[in-house]
Each structure stands twice: as structure tokens, then as C-alpha cells.
Amino acid sequence: MKDSGLVRIKLVICQTKADMTLLIDLDGAVKTMQAAEIAGVSRFLMISMLFAEDRNLWADPLKPLYVAKFYADNWLVRQTHLDYTIVQPGALSFHAGTGLIKSDPLAVGSVPRADLAAFLVAALHAPQTIGKTIPLLSGDQSIAQVIDQL
């Protein structure tokens, strides 16, 4: 078997930027999922967008990114056998992380990048996050409390 470059990796976290939306956020994400499966990686954490699954809530200037996230998330759920967790953060901020978050599917807001990163590390070690899509915003609960409630 050809060395895929993912042979020794046990986890993939996928996050991309808004430029080149279809090539990166959709096609690149799907190629990463396919490579993970070929390499025998089972755990996959996808950073999506808040409300990516609901077209009625997409903001106009971000619609191309929402489309890419919508279809990439759906590919992950329906076309792979990966142990996935899809995290849907609100607007990402550069504020200092607080370690306090909430997971409310109806809320809007932001979350510091540091809190998103801390949540991803915690989710990696929390089997109850597998197969879930989790909205993530700044809040008043610890990351451990939110994960325990899943």
C-alpha cells in the first residue's frame, strides 16, 4: 500500500479558511476523510459552522462557506465509517479563552479560538461526543460540564 502520509496519525481535526471555499472546505475536507479511512484512522473531528445544517439560518455573505460546510458535514456522516464529532462554533474570536462554554442549538454568539481548541482536545477523549454535532459558544459552563451533558 502506498504511504498516504497519515499512517501514524490516530486523529484528524479538519478546519479550513473561507478562501477557495469549494476546493478547500468541501473537496479538501472530503479528501481528508477519504485519506483518513485509507490510512486506518478512525477518529475525525470536523470544525464546521454554527447552523451549517439549516439553510434557513445561513447569512448571505457566508452562503458559499455554509454550502461547503453543509455538504462536507453530510459526507462525513453519510459516506464514511469514521468515528466523527462535528463541532459547530459560533463566530471565532481572538479573545483570551475562559474555559467557559455552552452548547445551545438555538443560541448565537462567538467563542474564543482557545476555547474551541480546548473543547476539541477534551472531545477527543470523550466517547460520548462520537457521532454528534455539537454547537459551541462562549457560556458559563466548564468544558467538562458540557461534555458530561452530551
Side-chain angles (χ1 to χ4, degrees):
M1 177 164 84
K2 184 179 171 185
D3 183 2
S4 68
L6 293 177
V7 173
R8 293 186 189 100
I9 297 173
K10 303 210 186 275
L11 159 76
V12 173
I13 297 175
C14 188
Q15 164 64 26
T16 59
K17 294 183 176 187
D19 52 0
M20 299 185 66
T21 300
L22 289 180
L23 291 176
I24 296 173
D25 290 281
L26 177 53
D27 193 47
V30 170
K31 287 177 181 176
T32 303
M33 294 171 216
Q34 292 169 329
E37 287 194 306
I38 289 168
V41 174
S42 61
R43 192 72 168 105
F44 198 95
L45 279 71
M46 174 71 90
I47 301 171
S48 184
M49 291 177 70
L50 196 61
F51 308 128
E53 77 286 355
D54 188 346
R55 289 182 174 112
N56 295 317
L57 299 175
W58 294 356
D60 277 334
L62 297 175
K63 276 190 180 176
L65 188 54
Y66 274 112
V67 168
K69 295 294 190 177
F70 175 85
Y71 286 105
D73 292 354
N74 275 283
W75 182 277
L76 178 59
V77 171
R78 291 180 172 78
Q79 301 294 322
T80 75
H81 296 97
L82 296 165
D83 293 333
Y84 71 87
T85 301
I86 299 171
V87 180
Q88 295 180 327
L92 297 175
S93 77
F94 288 103
H95 293 108
T98 65
L100 298 176
I101 60 167
K102 67 180 174 183
S103 181
D104 181 344
L106 302 176
V108 296
S110 63
V111 63
R113 285 170 164 80
D115 287 340
L116 171 59
F119 182 84
L120 291 168
V121 170
L124 171 62
H125 302 291
Q128 67 268 38
T129 66
I130 294 174
K132 298 238 169 56
T133 298
I134 305 165
L136 189 71
L137 300 163
S138 291
D140 59 1
Q141 293 184 299
S142 72
I143 292 169
Q145 286 174 311
V146 169
I147 286 178
D148 287 344
Q149 293 170 3
L150 295 173

